Amino acid sequence: MSDDARIWTAGLLVIGDEILSGRTQDLNVVQIGTWLNLQGIRLTEVRMVADRIEAIAEATNALRERYDYLFTTGGIGPTHDDITVDGIAAALGLPVVVHPTARAALEAYYADRGGVNEARLRMARVPEGAELIENRFSGAPGIKVGNIYILAGVPRIAAMMLDALTGALEGGRPLLSRTLGCWVAESEVAELLAATEKAHARCQIGSYPFFRDGKAGANFVVRSDDEAALAACAGDLAAALAASGREVTDGGI
């Protein structure tokens, strides 16, 4: 039974030279952060590291000790530079082994796709003692070892793995949010935002400015794990913005 009052936290380690070089745009931060909110877990830190065993190991040890959970994405494919498993095994001081259930899943998936070769078998490698995360998309499973969840880098495959984990992690209350938008420079209402947040201890207000059609605007996102507290804070913020002469758009602009 989870303790709803406790704040559960997670770190995310994004692995891959292609992300750092800008060749590939990372889409997993948003989907993992959103999914974690629904599990009652706060994504608190994201790091990106290159495909180097020592970099992966260093970041793994830092994040797994700091947060309740650590998620990683990328680097568990069939090529020589897919070394996430090696980096995490090094961090934990564990050998890398071929998981028999993962091997069987790959053999079944590739039975009519040319069979399992040496490269494909790399996707069955895990730190010794690890558990598997189901992957209905391509047969190559994700990996759980301790409080570390190793996911694929391809967003649609990572999403399948998250779906398999839904409800399986201990967490607190889901984080709720409500967005209010205004055509106003955020600097003009900074004190108003700070005062409203201070008056509502269970809420946080994030300000996200934009410039569109020659005008400055901002969306203000109120977050809380309590529905009544969220409604009260959002209501007070909307009233304060309206009292200052701004038109408020519920749901954001």
Side-chain angles (χ1 to χ4, degrees):
M1 188 122 181
S2 64
D3 177 4
D4 285 351
R6 176 182 165 182
I7 296 177
W8 295 75
T9 60
L12 172 60
L13 181 59
V14 180
I15 300 164
D17 293 339
E18 72 281 3
I19 299 292
L20 290 168
S21 70
R23 289 192 301 271
T24 300
Q25 182 180 7
D26 180 79
L27 301 176
N28 281 317
V29 173
V30 171
Q31 76 166 352
I32 291 173
T34 301
W35 180 84
L36 285 169
N37 280 342
L38 295 175
Q39 311 308 306
I41 301 166
R42 311 286 178 84
L43 180 58
T44 307
E45 181 176 352
V46 178
R47 291 195 191 184
M48 294 185 180
V49 298
D51 291 310
R52 292 191 297 110
I53 288 177
E54 61 271 22
I56 296 169
E58 180 183 3
T60 293
N61 276 332
L63 295 174
R64 75 183 177 91
E65 293 170 4
R66 185 172 299 162
Y67 304 111
D68 296 303
Y69 303 105
L70 168 60
F71 286 78
T72 76
T73 62
I76 58 172
T79 60
H80 71 283
D81 59 344
D82 287 315
I83 57 171
T84 294
V85 168
D86 304 86
I88 291 175
L92 301 176
L94 295 171
V96 175
V97 299
V98 172
H99 196 294
T101 304
R103 179 173 189 150
L106 290 168
E107 287 174 345
Y109 181 79
Y110 286 107
D112 57 356
R113 295 176 172 87
V116 172
N117 55 28
E118 185 176 345
R120 288 169 173 171
L121 190 59
R122 285 181 58 82
M123 294 185 289
R125 299 164 71 249
V126 303
E128 188 175 54
E131 303 171 35
L132 302 180
I133 302 169
E134 182 185 9
N135 170 15
R136 300 191 306 275
F137 187 85
S138 66
I143 303 162
K144 175 189 180 300
V145 53
N147 68 335
I148 305 170
Y149 294 79
I150 307 170
L151 309 180
V154 179
R156 65 181 180 277
I157 301 178
M160 290 279 190
M161 294 177 178
L162 291 173
D163 184 60
L165 289 170
T166 296
L169 278 66
E170 193 169 6
R173 296 181 178 181
L175 190 63
L176 309 173
S177 67
R178 182 173 164 189
T179 302
L180 303 174
C182 274
W183 289 105
V184 62
E186 64 174 353
S187 59
E188 295 179 16
V189 292
E191 292 184 8
L192 182 155
L193 297 174
T196 305
E197 183 178 86
K198 186 176 180 180
H200 295 270
R202 295 195 63 170
C203 299
Q204 302 84 44
I205 301 174
S207 178
Y208 304 94
F210 57 84
F211 191 78
R212 198 181 303 160
D213 300 326
K215 296 188 294 181
N219 285 313
F220 309 115
V221 180
V222 184
R223 299 182 178 91
S224 178
D225 62 2
D226 182 87
E227 190 170 356
L230 177 70
C233 182
D236 284 356
L237 178 58
L241 289 167
S244 69
R246 276 84 182 189
E247 183 179 347
V248 180
T249 301
D250 197 2
I253 297 173

